[in-house]
Amino acid sequence: MARRALKLASWTSMALAASGFYLYSNKYLDPNDFGAVRVGRAVATTAVISYDYLTSLRNVSYGSEEYLQLLSKVHLRSAGRLCELCCANRGTFIKVGQHLGALDYLLPQEYTSTLKVLHSQAPQSSMQEIRQVIREDLGKEIQDLFVSFDDTPLGAASLAQVHKAVLHDGRTVAVKVQHPKVQAQSSKDILLMEISRHLGKIYSEMIFVNGFVHCDPHPGNVLVRKHPGTGKAEIILLDHGLYQVLTEEFRLDYCHLWQSLIWTDMKRVQKYSQRLGAGDLYPLLACMLTARSWESINRGIDRVPVTATEDLEIRDNAANYLPQISQLLNHVPRQMLLIFKTNDLLRGIEGALGTRASASSFLNMSRCCIRALAVHKKKNTCSFFRRTQISFSEAFNLWQINLHELILHVKGSRLSSWVLALLCWLFSAPH
């Protein structure tokens, strides 16, 4: 168990390290993040964590109550060390920690609860560092851009005031998506499913339709508020420093792959996974993208609910298939690394809201895939008849999704339960 947990943490760190090097190569992050001192800290922390796992559990009977209690303590100590490492090294390491903190479905609770602090309380840059970045990027001093706020020099406190002023509209203030106030909402207030649905729509549009993706949706960067006019949920995305521009070829292949996953077309899943570099590891790619087991994917990810047993299976497989996961990450397009990161962070938010892997989110993705592929087909034909045919096919496919969603809604409604109970009573009653 300890070795599996250690393998799992190593795999996640490896995947995120690959993302970090990709960001570095594209100049998203400070190259000093990969300095010798930072690397030395990371190696030392990894060695201490490994030693703790290997020695603390050595003489304890596996599966016993003492073992489980001790394992939880080792998890907590290790998570604390990782959090300290992230805060000390900053930069890319903060991104890694924020990512790990969102992987509730994959990592032990001790890790995610400890690292979640990085979503909203990450170390802040000093004003001197901010001025240096502005001078290098814009050739200006910060005072040239913002002379004052409320007649006071711009400092750390007034930066927070600016933040509040931007989000405050006189009647409502946005709060972080993982805020207790959001998670405690009743049907009279912002609905959790509505928040999840809106967030899914936003990212489906970005990934499948526009190919321009905000790749850092950790809970600290996603705010929620009620629209002052309509009272409906609104999503506000913060921190627009990390975007991924998808090539058209990648975007269309990714559209086809998700469409195949949703409609359980396994031949096309294999085809488009291989086009994206997965080779014979296409089942692994499908599992990593959906965070579902291969059995659930074959049965239909929009039809089979996530269970605790499946989550445990995913955790075990992630640890056991470390070499294959590493091989896959080395072969997929570099764009896929940030897509993995984005998917994991969104899945973490869905887990926090209790809406993970809902049929609604998959159906919204399918709608965007249909629209994106239809636009591409129309763009590549000059025939009026063919364009009309594509439009009718698009409308029909969207209608099918709407009908399927309606059926699922009726099946899950109280009215359906009452009708089913009534029918059972009528047919079972003596005549």
Side-chain angles (χ1 to χ4, degrees):
M1 181 71 177
R3 293 178 185 275
R4 285 182 177 178
L6 187 58
K7 284 182 180 179
L8 188 54
S10 301
W11 165 73
T12 310
S13 299
M14 186 184 303
L16 294 171
S19 300
F21 279 107
Y22 176 70
L23 298 175
Y24 164 63
S25 67
N26 284 274
K27 299 182 179 179
Y28 284 116
L29 298 172
D30 187 346
N32 291 326
D33 291 339
F34 297 95
V37 175
R38 288 176 169 84
V39 172
R41 282 199 199 105
V43 171
T45 301
T46 301
V48 170
I49 290 174
S50 301
Y51 182 80
D52 196 0
Y53 274 105
L54 293 175
T55 58
S56 298
L57 304 172
R58 181 182 298 166
N59 299 318
V60 184
S61 177
Y62 175 77
S64 65
E65 184 176 349
E66 181 185 2
Y67 179 92
L68 296 176
Q69 291 177 351
L70 191 55
L71 179 62
S72 178
K73 291 178 181 178
V74 177
H75 282 335
L76 197 58
R77 287 198 299 268
S78 301
R81 291 179 180 121
L82 281 180
C83 190
E84 290 173 4
L85 171 67
C86 293
C87 292
N89 280 3
R90 301 168 54 167
T92 304
F93 290 85
I94 293 290
K95 298 296 183 186
V96 171
Q98 290 170 339
H99 192 161
L100 292 174
L103 297 178
D104 299 87
Y105 72 98
L106 193 59
L107 295 178
Q109 180 269 337
E110 293 85 355
Y111 278 91
T112 56
S113 61
T114 300
L115 294 169
K116 272 182 169 63
V117 69
L118 298 175
H119 292 156
S120 56
Q121 300 178 35
Q124 299 179 357
S125 300
S126 67
M127 288 304 299
Q128 182 179 356
E129 291 172 317
I130 294 172
R131 290 191 181 97
Q132 180 64 24
V133 170
I134 291 177
R135 276 199 299 269
E136 291 176 356
D137 288 356
L138 303 178
K140 294 184 178 186
E141 286 284 346
I142 192 169
Q143 288 87 352
D144 296 335
L145 299 176
F146 305 102
V147 178
S148 66
F149 186 80
D150 288 343
D151 299 322
T152 60
L154 185 63
S158 51
L159 279 174
Q161 288 179 302
V162 173
H163 188 207
K164 289 181 181 178
V166 170
L167 298 179
H168 196 285
D169 64 1
R171 284 182 292 175
T172 182
V173 177
V175 295
K176 291 182 175 65
V177 71
Q178 86 281 28
H179 193 282
K181 181 179 178 181
V182 172
Q183 298 187 26
Q185 300 300 330
S186 68
S187 59
K188 297 179 181 179
D189 210 333
I190 299 174
L191 297 176
L192 300 184
M193 188 58 73
E194 184 183 0
I195 295 170
S196 181
R197 185 168 58 249
H198 285 342
L199 191 61
K201 285 182 179 179
I202 290 171
Y203 271 89
S204 292
E205 288 280 344
M206 282 194 281
I207 294 172
F208 300 114
V209 179
N210 300 315
F212 186 64
V213 190
H214 177 288
C215 287
D216 201 17
H218 67 73
N221 283 344
V222 181
L223 306 187
V224 180
R225 72 171 182 179
K226 290 178 68 176
H227 188 279
T230 64
K232 293 184 178 180
E234 278 191 335
I235 304 292
I236 300 172
L237 295 179
L238 303 180
D239 192 355
H240 299 276
L242 180 57
Y243 272 80
Q244 171 72 66
V245 179
L246 306 179
T247 65
E248 185 168 8
E249 180 183 6
F250 176 91
R251 181 176 62 85
L252 294 173
D253 284 342
Y254 195 62
C255 278
H256 280 296
L257 175 56
W258 265 107
Q259 191 76 322
S260 305
L261 286 167
I262 292 168
W263 294 108
T264 325
D265 187 340
M266 306 316 294
K267 288 185 178 179
R268 288 169 64 85
V269 167
Q270 179 178 359
K271 173 183 176 181
Y272 287 103
S273 294
Q274 291 176 339
R275 283 177 62 95
L276 289 167
D280 293 335
L281 295 175
Y282 69 90
L284 181 59
L285 176 62
C287 293
M288 289 174 66
L289 285 174
T290 60
R292 303 298 302 270
S293 67
W294 184 239
E295 180 184 356
S296 294
I297 291 171
N298 277 277
R299 292 171 60 191
I301 53 178
D302 63 328
R303 301 179 184 91
V304 182
V306 181
T307 64
T309 302
E310 184 179 1
D311 276 343
L312 181 60
E313 178 186 347
I314 291 170
R315 287 192 181 96
D316 289 344
N317 285 341
N320 294 332
Y321 285 88
L322 177 59
Q324 291 88 339
I325 291 170
S326 178
Q327 180 184 345
L328 179 65
L329 293 173
N330 285 327
H331 284 87
V332 296
R334 299 302 90 187
Q335 300 164 86
M336 184 66 83
L337 297 178
L338 283 182
I339 292 295
F340 278 138
K341 176 180 187 289
T342 304
N343 284 350
D344 278 340
L345 291 172
L346 290 173
R347 203 168 286 124
I349 292 175
E350 289 179 345
L353 297 177
T355 61
R356 180 174 153 232
S358 67
S360 178
S361 64
F362 290 129
L363 294 176
N364 282 329
M365 291 171 69
S366 187
R367 288 187 180 96
C368 287
C369 290
I370 289 170
R371 287 170 46 214
L373 294 172
V375 168
H376 174 70
K377 291 175 183 177
K378 290 177 187 177
K379 187 172 67 174
N380 287 278
T381 183
C382 297
S383 167
F384 174 78
F385 175 77
R386 176 60 182 150
R387 289 170 66 88
T388 303
Q389 187 181 35
I390 293 169
S391 295
F392 274 116
S393 177
E394 176 187 8
F396 178 72
N397 287 332
L398 291 174
W399 176 82
Q400 279 186 308
I401 292 176
N402 292 337
L403 179 61
H404 182 57
E405 189 170 37
L406 177 62
I407 292 171
L408 291 176
H409 177 71
V410 170
K411 283 183 177 180
S413 67
R414 290 183 179 180
L415 177 61
S416 174
S417 301
W418 292 340
V419 170
L420 183 61
L422 177 62
L423 289 175
C424 291
W425 178 79
L426 289 175
F427 283 106
S428 62
H431 296 283

